[in-house]
Amino acid sequence: MLNTVTGKKGVIHIFLLSQIRLIVVLGGLILIYALVGFFLVPHLLNKYATGYVRDEMHRQLHLGDVRFNPFTLTLQLAQVEFLEANGGPIAAVENVLVDAELASLFTGIYTFKSIHLVGPTVQVVVDAQGHVNLAFNDLKKDHQAERADDSLPKLRIGEFALINGRVHIEDLARPVPFSTDLTPIQFKLDDFRSEPAYGNAFHFSARSHLDEILDFKGKLTLQPFASSGNFKIADLTSGTLQSYLHDVLPFRLLAGRVNVEGDYDLSLAQDLNLKLSLPHVVLTGFGIAPKVSDGTPWVSWVKLGITDTQVSLNDRNIAIKKISLEQPNFKAVLDQRRNLNLLELMGPDEANDHPWVTRVEQIRMDKAVINLEDRGVNPSVNFVLSPAQLMISDFSTAPDATIGLNTSFVINDRT
């Protein structure tokens, strides 16, 4: 009997020792895992990430506070800076939060609950030769070839959010350098997947320092790249257009604002294919003058409305239902050779093998004032045509097109 009791106690003792050893081993493994996760991972991330950027990208990466929680698989970065080799800024982020899923270890799909970027800033610079700093054209060609051969990794993100971002754009390739700032930028992407043909819902909004608003909502796929949705551009100033399109426009914009809203469908499956549907385009308070002038507008108007516009990039076609011009003012001059000054605003004729074709069902001009000076006679003669009305139907730039025209006006207050 004593031997039986002693045997049971021995078994219990051995069992307890094994459990204690197991607990100690598990506790030790958890402790090692915690130490590696909390301390070693941030150190290795800082070391190898900055080293890769330095050795392979020939740039600088500075990481501030790096924290990794191995139990929740969350990574936090503070004060991240991505710099040129000479220290010039490229991008920075105040805070980064990456919340990973444990499933990534078993499914082979990089899976994240959420990725948040707070306070990111990006410097987009186009140099005098037209090179964009973010293209990294100086990287080794073999690295570029490797990246070109790689397919996109399998990736899933429950929520990607960019909060209070800022983009500084500087284009030095234009005859007149252009620069602007977009801030704050908000971008949200829900249930993102890199799978082929998967539609990822997104929302992008930005505001310029002039309170110009850009807002996009839609879906995008990465394989192949395509996006569709609706957009809104509000209070875009003529100054912004003039600064960026200075070398494209045959005239000079003096004042005015543009408001546009519509839908878009973009695809890069083979060639670039873009279709736009614009229910409303409104240009208010505009003034137009020749490129070289004293700032006096040759053409101005209170409101220009464009209704139901369809644009197809592939077909090079623009179809418009109606254009209405309210209270325009024209300063027209016929010189001694009977040349009309307003034609200068249209720019020179350029040959084009594939010209765009524009069709407008109706063009209407109301309450126009036309100040006409005829310098072909001596002394010169001035006429004022007001109020002038104009109606054009079935306008088209296609060859051999015919239009309908109806007009009425008063000359010098006399019918």
Side-chain angles (χ1 to χ4, degrees), residues 234-245:
D235 291 328
L236 179 64
T237 67
S238 60
T240 298
L241 290 172
Q242 176 64 37
S243 297
Y244 194 72
L245 301 177

Side-chain angles (χ1 to χ4, degrees), residues 363-374:
I363 301 175
R364 183 182 182 91
M365 183 177 70
D366 292 318
K367 299 180 181 180
V369 177
I370 304 174
N371 295 278
L372 173 61
E373 181 182 359
D374 188 351

